[in-house]
Amino acid sequence: MNATIDPQASFTDLEPLANIFRRTTIIGVGESTRGARSAHQIYLIKDRLTRFLVEHLGFRTLFLETDWTIGMQLNEYLRTGKGDPQALLAATWSPLQTEDVLDALCWMRSYNIQNPGDTIRVFGGYFGAGHVQVSDEVANYVRINAPERLDELETRYSFLRPSGEIDKHIAWYSPAK
């Protein structure tokens, strides 16, 4: 048994993880470094682990540290093929803008084409600076799915909605240090 970081290699060396993860519903995979020379290897390992979790343990949802609206667009690409994954990655957080992450997304899209009734989904959830578009998306969702709650949403969360430059809004919203 040879250990490898090649995402396309056999998963024989990862089989011991199956017993560890079999009853697990959420697995977090982070990294200890961002933007370092070793990032390439880290993203290959993440890609390989993702493929193993999907193909052998039935995981189907992936969280990316990116803006929620970009996550929605990436999910649309995975589900339907609509959108350009390279252009979408260009709008994400810079450490995700790699060929390795692009390859992983293309593999997920390919998986979804081959398994239309059992697809991989992705969502973004970077909880840093909020954007007007995120506020609009949430309001539109509530407008469609729970219109009776729209007034409550607008009343309770209006102070979170940026009204100008996001940096000024964050400075206003965040406590002084």
Side-chain angles (χ1 to χ4, degrees), residues 144-164:
I144 293 166
N145 294 286
E148 72 281 2
R149 309 234 19 220
L150 187 59
D151 287 341
E152 178 186 1
L153 173 79
E154 290 175 350
T155 300
R156 293 181 184 260
Y157 296 102
S158 63
F159 70 95
L160 291 174
R161 180 181 168 72
S163 59

Side-chain angles (χ1 to χ4, degrees), residues 1 4-24 27 29 43-60 62 104 107-108 111 120:
M1 171 172 69
T4 179
I5 63 173
D6 179 358
Q8 298 178 28
S10 164
F11 296 121
T12 308
D13 59 323
L14 296 180
E15 285 300 325
L17 295 176
N19 291 331
I20 296 169
F21 293 149
R22 194 161 314 282
R23 290 196 171 104
T24 303
I27 297 173
V29 181
Y43 285 121
L44 289 177
I45 292 167
K46 284 181 167 190
D47 183 3
R48 186 157 191 268
L49 183 59
T50 298
R51 292 178 192 213
F52 174 74
L53 293 171
V54 167
E55 292 181 0
H56 291 271
L57 296 176
F59 283 79
R60 296 295 183 269
L62 176 69
W107 175 83
M108 288 182 234
Y111 180 92
I120 301 169

Side-chain angles (χ1 to χ4, degrees), residues 74-150:
L74 286 168
N75 190 58
E76 181 71 10
Y77 166 73
L78 292 182
R79 288 186 327 97
T80 68
K82 179 182 172 187
D84 175 359
Q86 203 163 15
L88 292 170
L89 277 181
T92 65
W93 184 46
S94 60
L96 295 177
Q97 298 173 9
T98 70
E99 289 294 321
D100 303 318
V101 175
L102 179 62
D103 290 346
L105 288 171
C106 290
W107 175 83
M108 288 182 234
R109 174 65 186 136
S110 176
Y111 180 92
N112 284 353
I113 290 169
Q114 295 170 25
N115 301 280
D118 190 24
T119 59
I120 301 169
R121 296 168 300 279
V122 67
F123 70 97
Y126 177 65
F127 300 111
H131 299 284
V132 172
Q133 185 179 0
V134 172
S135 298
D136 290 345
E137 291 288 341
V138 171
N140 286 335
Y141 180 86
V142 171
R143 187 174 292 109
I144 293 166
N145 294 286
E148 72 281 2
R149 309 234 19 220
L150 187 59

